[in-house]
Amino acid sequence: MSQNFVDDKALVCISFILERLKAHQAETHDRPLIIGLNGVQGVGKTTLVAALAVALENDGVHTLICSIDDFYLKHEDQVALARDHADNALMQHRGEPGTHDVALAKAVFASLMQRRPAHLPRYDKGAFHGQGDRLPETQWKAVNQPGQAPVRAVILEGWSVGFRAIGPEGVEAKWKAPSRTLRKHRLEHLLFLDQSLKEYDGLTDLFGAFIHIDSEHVEFVYPWRQEQEDCLRAEKGDPDAGMTPEQVVKFVDGYFPGYELYTDGVRRGIFSDRPGCQLRMVVGRDRRVKQVIRI
């Protein structure tokens, strides 16, 4: 991430979260507020959620941060998925809907919602030469344990958090329309992605609040990701660390179909019956907030 980056999103978000938390507590006193947070790669999600957790803790709100990445399939299961769908490029790498252990995520969140003891899985992206693997359960994060303060707010962040399936007709319409990456994939492969996404509704429906860090142009994800790689090289002092510009384009292209399929739906709002529970912040190339919209 650019060293000149200044995050002005936290103040906007914290007032929204505290407002939703107050309303949530008025309705139910024994469940934490689940907050979904979506943003394209490189927009600053990690920096933002860390700042939000500190601010909430300072307000006496014990907060748990987790990423959809925490719930990736085990390495052996990802390998099997890729093998079973060998001709589908979208299933050859982790990240897309379908590459997460949704059943595990639902079980963890069920415990959190009931304020029962739980363990948040951890994922090692460097295992198996970068293919990644889930860490042993002995290394998972323990929450709601005896002697620990109960979690009152949970922030689930990720590039695809809040995506909802658009159905065969919706997928085909977007596939036929001009796009950057969709026509690089067979229609049936995009339909498989969309079908897999339906499993995630059980998580999305738990959100009592949703934050969307939108960008004026989704294509900003390419330079933002490149800046992350540049910072990695600077931090390590190794000019060969990180991905080359060509590798960055190939990497982001692997995720871009999800943006092209589902960003419009997130912009319209992921809740059908809860007006005011979604916050959309539109940021410019410098990642600074240009517009704030309540949905």
Side-chain angles (χ1 to χ4, degrees), residues 16-193:
F16 168 73
I17 291 174
L18 290 174
E19 173 201 309
R20 298 313 312 155
L21 184 63
K22 182 177 180 180
H24 176 77
Q25 291 174 331
E27 296 175 0
T28 174
H29 300 284
D30 58 354
R31 290 188 300 169
L33 175 66
I34 310 296
I35 305 156
L37 190 145
N38 172 291
V40 300
Q41 296 155 314
V43 76
K45 294 187 298 297
T46 301
T47 300
L48 175 59
V49 296
L52 294 178
V54 170
L56 288 169
E57 292 283 351
N58 289 340
D59 270 321
V61 180
H62 187 41
T63 303
L64 176 66
I65 294 174
C66 52
S67 169
I68 195 67
D69 295 358
D70 296 329
F71 299 100
Y72 279 137
L73 294 169
K74 294 180 180 178
H75 178 258
E76 61 190 75
D77 295 326
Q78 177 62 53
V79 170
L81 177 69
R83 182 182 61 246
D84 293 343
H85 300 274
D87 60 343
N88 188 341
L90 298 168
M91 294 298 113
Q92 301 308 303
H93 56 85
R94 66 176 188 261
E96 300 286 356
T99 65
H100 302 90
D101 190 335
V102 180
L104 173 62
K106 289 179 179 178
V108 170
F109 273 81
S111 293
L112 293 173
M113 291 291 287
Q114 298 171 28
R115 290 195 170 179
R116 292 190 282 109
H119 288 82
L120 180 68
R122 296 177 61 204
Y123 192 86
D124 179 7
K125 294 183 178 180
F128 290 95
H129 305 286
Q131 292 182 10
D133 197 10
R134 188 182 302 160
L135 289 171
E137 291 187 30
T138 54
Q139 299 184 46
W140 294 11
K141 181 180 178 64
V143 295
N144 286 343
Q145 302 296 314
Q148 292 182 332
V151 173
R152 293 179 55 202
V154 181
I155 302 176
L156 176 65
E157 62 88 7
W159 76 278
S160 62
V161 168
F163 284 179
R164 290 194 186 272
I166 58 177
E169 291 183 1
V171 172
E172 184 171 4
K174 286 185 175 291
W175 182 71
K176 289 180 176 179
S179 66
R180 179 185 175 96
T181 62
L182 294 182
R183 291 307 291 266
K184 296 179 182 179
H185 301 272
R186 285 159 47 184
L187 177 59
E188 56 263 39
H189 293 165
L190 297 174
L191 291 172
F192 178 81
L193 182 74

Side-chain angles (χ1 to χ4, degrees), residues 234-251:
E235 290 170 0
K236 290 183 174 293
D238 180 0
D240 295 322
M243 292 186 283
T244 66
E246 293 77 14
Q247 291 171 327
V248 166
V249 171
K250 183 178 179 180
F251 176 83

